[in-house]
Amino acid sequence: MAATIPIKNITEPYVVEDNERHTFLVNRRAFVDPNVLAQEQAAIFDKCWLYIGHESEIPNNEDFLTRAVGGRELIFVRGKDGTARAFFNTCPHRGAMVCREKKGKGKMFRCFYHAWTFDLEGKLIQRPEAERYSEAAQEGMHNLVQVAKLEQYRGLYFVNFDDAAIDLVTYLAGAVEYIDLTIDHSEVAMEIVGGMQEYGFQANWKLLAENSFDAYHGLSTHATYFDYVVAAGGQFGETLTATAEPTDLGNGHAVIEYGAPWGRPIAKPVAAWGDEGAAECAEIHKRLEERFGKERADRIANNNFNMVIFPNFVINNIMAITLRTFFPEAPDHQHVKAWTLAPADESASMRERRLYNFLEFLGPGGFATPDDCEALKLCQKGYTNLTNAGWNDISKGMGQDPIISNDEEQMRIFWREWDRRIAGMSS
Amino acid sequence: MSLSVTRADIEDLLYLEASLLDTWQLDEWLTLFEEGATYWVPPAGATDDVTPDTTLFYVADDWFRLTERVKRLGKKTAHVEFPKSKCRHLVTNVRLLGGDDDEFSATANFVTYRTKAGDTETYLGHHNYRFTMIEEKIRIRKKTSFLDIDNINSQGKVSIII
């Protein structure tokens, strides 16, 4: 083997793409080095659009929730005027978090430390002994600090901490098409169902970005899940092999789209759902055809997709829809937030099938997600050998025609953007 | 119909259950259940009245999926539990809440430790049980394990039977 690629003891660069030899390597230091994490915070999480939540989580005026996003503690609130806003959850006085509830409804936030009180637009409306402050300290300087940018696309809200950031829709680029394919499931509105799953595990956050749209690992990592699908009456003849080309959506976002053996509550029945489920799916499919024509209806009903919106927002539209975001608490630990999204106008029986589907694959008690997390933990532990075994290979499919979704092009798209942003920082 | 069991009878069953789980005898564990039984693990911090049709649980197994869960955990390809983790299920504060032999309920507090690859995770909370008597034996009709913690950031998963 030619020795043009150093395989040990190297510190730079992080990503080595060789389009003549068709190899793509990632330096394992990118997963373990605290300096890399600091660079990621500055070059990625402080600059990119980050998902904060869905409109249905604060449906009414005066609804609020608190959530950590991008290393910050935020309040996401719908004001008396119906406008959604995001504030840093810290008192301008001495810094205490002004809201300690995960979610709720109210007319104001009061920091209990010295009883400074803010309205839902963030304005300081009351503090004890206010007359003891100078004139300069009276007006405006003690309001809650608003996040630089909060924008939404079709009910999905994102924040950006960079005043100079491009607008959300421009940033989302080609991902908009796949968000549309998801939100169009409903004629009324989509909603988050049943709250948020929060869990953590000892693996670098980028491992979950890769894993979230890695089709290659499916059959080996999730063998027990596919055993279960067969036992539950799934038509396994429909192969999971993802043969379509992965799509580069721009700005580091990518997606794979494919057919699969499991049932989809948006109109792809399986035997286990019986005649009643099949009839209901047919009805849903008919409405989709009326709304979008046959081709798009078939695509919405039958096609799964896994999409990573750079850097850390996943929409996996599979046997149910999961939204997922994850953030590093250390190079080797991440915190995951996950939700499921469903049509608000869905029948109770289809909702039941949807949630059943979700839990059998997804989440901390599912038949699949815990095995993913185990694999990612093993990767992280394996990186302790990086001095002697220093590179990840993400070359699958390079030089092939066509490149398919079971290859690794979607991960290369992620890594090219990651590398561009990190390299841009050190230059 | 009257209730013929005492708290001590229920404690015996729960200690047996804990022992079967600690020793990974899951097929035997399943025989403690009535056919058609359910096993639920609501999200961390949930209140006793939650149901899986409106709340996103970690586990909401009907009988079919519970039997499939046991089958899965018996396989080497259940990667998260291979090699098998070491478990210790502690059960305490058992209270018989009443009912009759057709259906009666009990609650118990628990701490479950899971150790794998040098890391020990702690799950703590309370179980709510519904039981029935079948041929003079107590059988579990429904087990719900509530995690009385904020989230599972340090545990990461619910891959064992709590």
Side-chain angles (χ1 to χ4, degrees):
Chain A
M1 191 177 138
T4 53
I5 297 164
I7 56 162
K8 57 162 80 169
N9 292 335
I10 97 136
T11 53
E12 298 282 352
Y14 295 119
V15 175
V16 183
E17 180 167 12
D18 183 334
N19 284 306
E20 284 176 15
R21 294 160 47 84
H22 302 301
T23 58
F24 192 104
L25 301 182
V26 174
N27 190 327
R28 291 178 178 172
R29 202 162 68 81
F31 299 93
V32 301
D33 187 338
N35 296 317
V36 170
L37 181 60
Q39 285 179 306
E40 288 174 337
Q41 181 69 56
I44 294 173
F45 296 109
D46 292 355
K47 299 285 184 193
C48 294
W49 284 95
L50 306 176
Y51 182 72
I52 179 169
H54 187 259
E55 62 180 5
S56 65
E57 294 181 280
I58 50 167
N60 302 310
N61 294 358
E62 304 178 354
D63 287 346
F64 67 85
L65 60 81
T66 56
R67 190 161 283 168
V69 180
R72 277 82 163 178
E73 294 289 346
L74 303 184
I75 303 171
F76 182 40
V77 57
R78 192 173 297 281
K80 292 184 181 71
D81 57 355
T83 303
R85 295 181 178 82
F87 298 100
F88 295 101
N89 190 358
T90 180
C91 186
H93 179 211
R94 302 268 194 91
M97 290 168 71
V98 299
C99 184
R100 296 180 294 161
E101 293 155 278
K102 280 196 160 178
K103 58 187 296 190
K105 189 174 181 64
K107 297 194 181 310
M108 61 188 76
F109 301 111
R110 175 171 290 148
C111 175
F112 83 79
Y113 192 10
H114 299 91
W116 286 32
T117 305
F118 308 86
D119 67 18
L120 302 184
E121 285 74 51
K123 187 172 183 295
L124 177 68
I125 52 174
Q126 199 180 26
R127 59 184 159 183
E129 301 168 37
E131 71 283 2
R132 304 294 301 160
Y133 285 88
S134 75
E135 208 152 297
Q138 291 292 343
E139 202 53 45
M141 67 178 290
H142 291 135
N143 297 332
L144 291 179
V145 179
Q146 203 158 346
V147 172
K149 285 170 185 276
L150 173 76
E151 291 179 19
Q152 62 98 18
Y153 180 71
R154 299 202 68 182
L156 302 172
Y157 278 84
F158 294 73
V159 292
N160 198 306
F161 303 116
D162 179 10
D163 283 315
I166 57 172
D167 69 276
L168 174 66
V169 171
T170 304
Y171 179 83
L172 291 173
V176 160
E177 177 186 349
Y178 287 84
I179 294 174
D180 288 343
L181 281 169
T182 308
I183 306 301
D184 284 348
H185 286 196
S186 174
E187 296 185 46
V188 180
M190 298 295 280
E191 65 181 7
I192 297 292
V193 179
M196 175 169 74
Q197 292 186 332
E198 276 187 283
Y199 53 98
F201 60 102
Q202 296 93 344
N204 186 271
W205 68 277
K206 298 184 289 298
L207 286 164
L208 187 53
E210 291 179 344
N211 173 263
S212 293
F213 55 9
D214 177 7
Y216 188 26
H217 82 292
L219 289 177
S220 53
T221 296
H222 300 311
T224 61
Y225 173 73
F226 290 106
D227 294 346
Y228 168 81
V229 170
V230 171
Q235 286 99 32
F236 204 57
E238 291 178 55
T239 174
L240 181 68
T241 304
T243 53
E245 287 188 56
T247 306
D248 185 339
L249 302 170
N251 293 332
H253 323 315
V255 68
I256 59 172
E257 190 174 343
Y258 55 97
W262 49 71
R264 287 167 53 80
I266 186 75
K268 182 178 176 288
V270 281
W273 294 356
D275 293 342
E276 193 192 321
E280 201 173 333
C281 283
E283 193 58 35
I284 295 170
H285 199 284
K286 188 167 147 250
R287 276 299 299 152
L288 288 173
E289 280 189 40
E290 285 163 10
R291 291 165 66 206
F292 303 112
K294 181 162 183 349
E295 192 183 342
R296 186 171 172 84
D298 284 347
R299 190 179 178 201
I300 289 173
N302 298 332
N303 286 15
N304 299 265
F305 70 78
N306 295 45
M307 175 167 68
V308 178
I309 294 175
F310 190 89
N312 66 341
F313 182 54
V314 168
I315 301 179
N316 282 355
N317 180 342
I318 42 181
M319 69 293 296
I321 300 166
T322 188
L323 309 181
R324 177 193 288 164
T325 185
F326 35 93
F327 186 78
E329 296 186 331
D332 62 353
H333 196 275
Q334 66 185 300
H335 182 92
V336 182
K337 296 180 175 74
W339 302 264
T340 190
L341 189 70
D345 46 342
E346 182 168 63
S347 73
S349 51
M350 202 50 92
R351 178 62 60 83
E352 190 182 340
R353 292 183 192 105
R354 172 185 298 280
L355 292 177
Y356 198 86
N357 266 12
F358 184 98
L359 292 191
E360 69 192 15
F361 189 90
L362 292 161
F367 285 11
T369 298
D371 292 333
D372 285 314
C373 296
E374 179 75 1
L376 306 190
K377 279 173 70 174
L378 292 175
C379 294
Q380 192 71 39
K381 281 205 173 178
Y383 300 155
T384 54
N385 300 311
L386 74 98
T387 308
N388 308 94
W391 293 88
N392 275 1
D393 184 289
I394 310 189
S395 308
K396 186 162 181 273
M398 286 178 81
Q400 306 292 317
D401 186 22
I403 294 176
I404 60 172
S405 293
N406 257 31
D407 294 328
E408 295 174 332
E409 178 62 17
Q410 60 276 25
M411 286 157 239
R412 293 191 285 273
I413 291 164
F414 173 91
W415 278 108
R416 285 183 200 114
E417 178 66 9
W418 182 90
D419 193 45
R420 188 185 71 78
R421 287 182 176 268
I422 296 294
M425 173 154 187
S426 35
S427 62
Chain B
M1 195 184 276
S2 61
L3 182 59
S4 59
V5 300
T6 65
R7 187 187 75 208
D9 297 327
I10 292 170
E11 285 175 337
D12 284 347
L13 181 89
L14 298 188
Y15 296 160
L16 172 63
E17 184 195 11
S19 169
L20 293 172
L21 292 174
D22 287 344
T23 52
W24 284 99
Q25 299 183 71
L26 296 187
D27 290 330
E28 289 75 5
W29 172 73
L30 206 53
T31 67
L32 303 180
F33 287 76
E34 173 189 39
E35 196 164 319
T38 55
Y39 169 57
W40 289 357
V41 184
T47 51
D48 278 22
D49 55 356
V50 294
T51 54
D53 55 344
T54 52
T55 297
L56 195 58
F57 278 34
Y58 302 135
V59 176
D61 285 350
D62 58 10
W63 180 245
F64 171 72
R65 193 155 71 193
L66 182 58
T67 58
E68 288 293 320
R69 184 176 297 276
V70 166
K71 277 187 216 163
R72 168 177 140 77
L73 287 171
K75 295 173 183 171
K76 278 188 176 181
T77 45
H79 307 289
V80 65
E81 291 299 334
F82 183 83
K84 288 276 173 285
S85 58
K86 292 183 186 65
C87 293
R88 207 39 50 175
H89 292 73
L90 309 185
V91 188
T92 182
N93 300 52
V94 177
R95 288 189 298 139
L96 176 55
L97 299 177
D100 55 35
D101 279 1
D102 183 47
E103 180 165 296
F104 56 99
S105 56
T107 185
N109 291 356
F110 68 85
V111 180
T112 299
Y113 297 99
R114 173 189 182 273
T115 299
K116 190 177 182 201
D119 296 322
T120 298
E121 293 140 13
T122 307
Y123 298 87
L124 59 95
H126 66 283
H127 302 301
N128 287 351
Y129 285 96
R130 278 198 287 164
F131 299 106
T132 191
M133 295 299 288
I134 298 177
E135 292 170 358
E136 296 181 4
K137 289 197 169 109
I138 304 173
R139 288 292 172 257
I140 301 166
R141 176 165 286 172
K142 181 175 178 186
K143 175 180 179 181
T144 309
S145 300
F146 293 88
L147 294 164
D148 294 310
I149 49 183
D150 281 344
N151 59 47
I152 51 168
N153 199 22
S154 60
Q155 299 84 355
K157 65 207 155 292
V158 182
S159 57
I160 55 168
I161 307 293
I162 305 281

